[in-house]
Amino acid sequence: MKWSLVFALAFVTTSGLVASSASAQGLIWSLPEDGTLVRYKGVYKQTSRQPNSTEGDLELSWDRILEIRSVGTEMGVYHGEDVSCRWIEIKVETGHSPEGVLDAGPGGIRMFKLLVPETEIRGTVDVPVSQGRKIFAAFLPIVKGYRKIGDEPTQEITSEVFQLYPVIALLRHYRELQPGEQTQTSVIAGDFPTTLYTGTLVMETNTYRSSNTAEILQSSEFPFGVVGWTAKTVTEEKGTTDQRSDFAEVTIIEEDMKAIAIEQDAQSEFLVN
């Protein structure tokens, strides 16, 4: 399927001053000291439009916990060279909390173990390929990786790239993020100086359109760089011969996550046999 990419940008000012735009790598902007763990908690919602139903739209909501941890360094071959890499583990639990404790249920836990070249975590989606020339990378480069979904056996990730969206979070790799308010943000994990960034990405074909928007609270003083975020993906459909104005919403997926903990001396939870 051939996608037509449209990047919509929001114009935001801070204290009357125009700030320059930025680009970043979705959820992971920087690498903290090895052994660091961050934990987020929030809500994941899905709305399915049902215009012909007497019961109205179908709305579902789940609790979500997401962990990112750095669990070791290792040399790896990347682009034909030996480079320093970091093992990053990501765990996502999605379910309900009837008694205050999240119950993910079968298949509700997704775990990933990724060996990432340290130089590729640069806080930007622009990858230098030659002097004065850069390309856009909508993925996280990896040397090797593994995934485990629920009770299924561990599987090796055979590609050299990893997409954080949508299996980890609704955050995309945005070509440009527009900076907004700079403030001190208080979350359960602590107080951090943050900049609010806004990003939008629209992908469209003749019959389908997906619009993703996000607000990201970024801080250089927070491990991995993101204190919290809200994101939304809206999918729309229309007939082949219909006008673009005939696109109608089909589903809306929303995510609201905030940091609740930072831990040191984190150990690997994903053991590969």
Side-chain angles (χ1 to χ4, degrees), residues 46-231:
Q46 179 173 320
T47 301
S48 299
R49 298 299 190 200
Q50 300 183 132
N52 298 322
S53 173
T54 58
E55 299 179 356
D57 296 338
L58 176 62
E59 298 182 356
L60 301 172
S61 177
W62 299 268
D63 296 324
R64 171 167 283 187
I65 294 176
L66 188 155
E67 292 182 353
I68 309 174
R69 63 181 74 194
S70 175
V71 290
T73 60
E74 181 178 315
M75 297 299 292
V77 179
Y78 181 64
H79 289 172
E81 298 182 0
D82 289 331
V83 298
S84 179
C85 301
R86 189 82 65 89
W87 279 109
I88 302 297
E89 291 184 1
I90 304 174
K91 179 180 180 181
V92 183
E93 299 179 72
T94 304
H96 298 288
S97 307
E99 298 180 0
V101 178
L102 192 149
D103 181 7
I109 299 178
R110 301 191 298 269
M111 298 178 64
F112 302 87
K113 188 181 185 73
L114 311 170
L115 187 61
V116 181
E118 292 185 344
T119 56
E120 293 301 307
I121 305 301
R122 61 173 66 87
T124 176
V125 294
D126 294 323
V127 180
V129 293
S130 61
Q131 186 173 1
R133 182 171 175 264
K134 299 178 181 179
I135 60 174
F136 171 62
F139 50 78
L140 182 67
I142 63 173
V143 172
K144 55 185 173 181
Y146 305 88
R147 65 174 176 268
K148 182 174 176 58
I149 310 300
D151 296 330
E152 297 178 4
T154 297
Q155 294 184 343
E156 184 177 2
I157 299 174
T158 56
S159 67
E160 296 180 353
V161 298
F162 182 78
Q163 296 282 1
L164 293 169
Y165 175 94
V167 68
I168 300 299
L170 290 186
L171 295 181
R172 307 292 303 244
H173 281 211
Y174 303 97
R175 185 179 291 273
E176 295 210 30
L177 290 170
Q178 296 303 310
E181 182 182 11
Q182 298 180 9
T183 187
Q184 193 78 8
T185 297
S186 295
V187 292
I188 296 177
D191 298 332
F192 304 92
T194 61
T195 299
L196 177 66
Y197 286 98
T198 302
T200 302
L201 172 63
V202 179
M203 298 189 295
E204 183 177 321
T205 69
N206 189 40
T207 58
Y208 175 88
R209 181 164 63 197
S210 174
S211 305
N212 174 266
T213 58
E215 291 186 345
I216 303 170
L217 289 168
Q218 191 275 335
S219 176
S220 59
E221 297 184 13
F222 188 83
F224 298 105
V226 176
V227 175
W229 69 91
T230 60

Side-chain angles (χ1 to χ4, degrees), residues 35-37 69-71 89 264-271:
T36 302
L37 176 149
R69 63 181 74 194
S70 175
V71 290
E89 291 184 1
Q264 306 299 329
D265 300 322
Q267 302 296 315
S268 174
E269 188 177 350
F270 192 150
L271 301 179

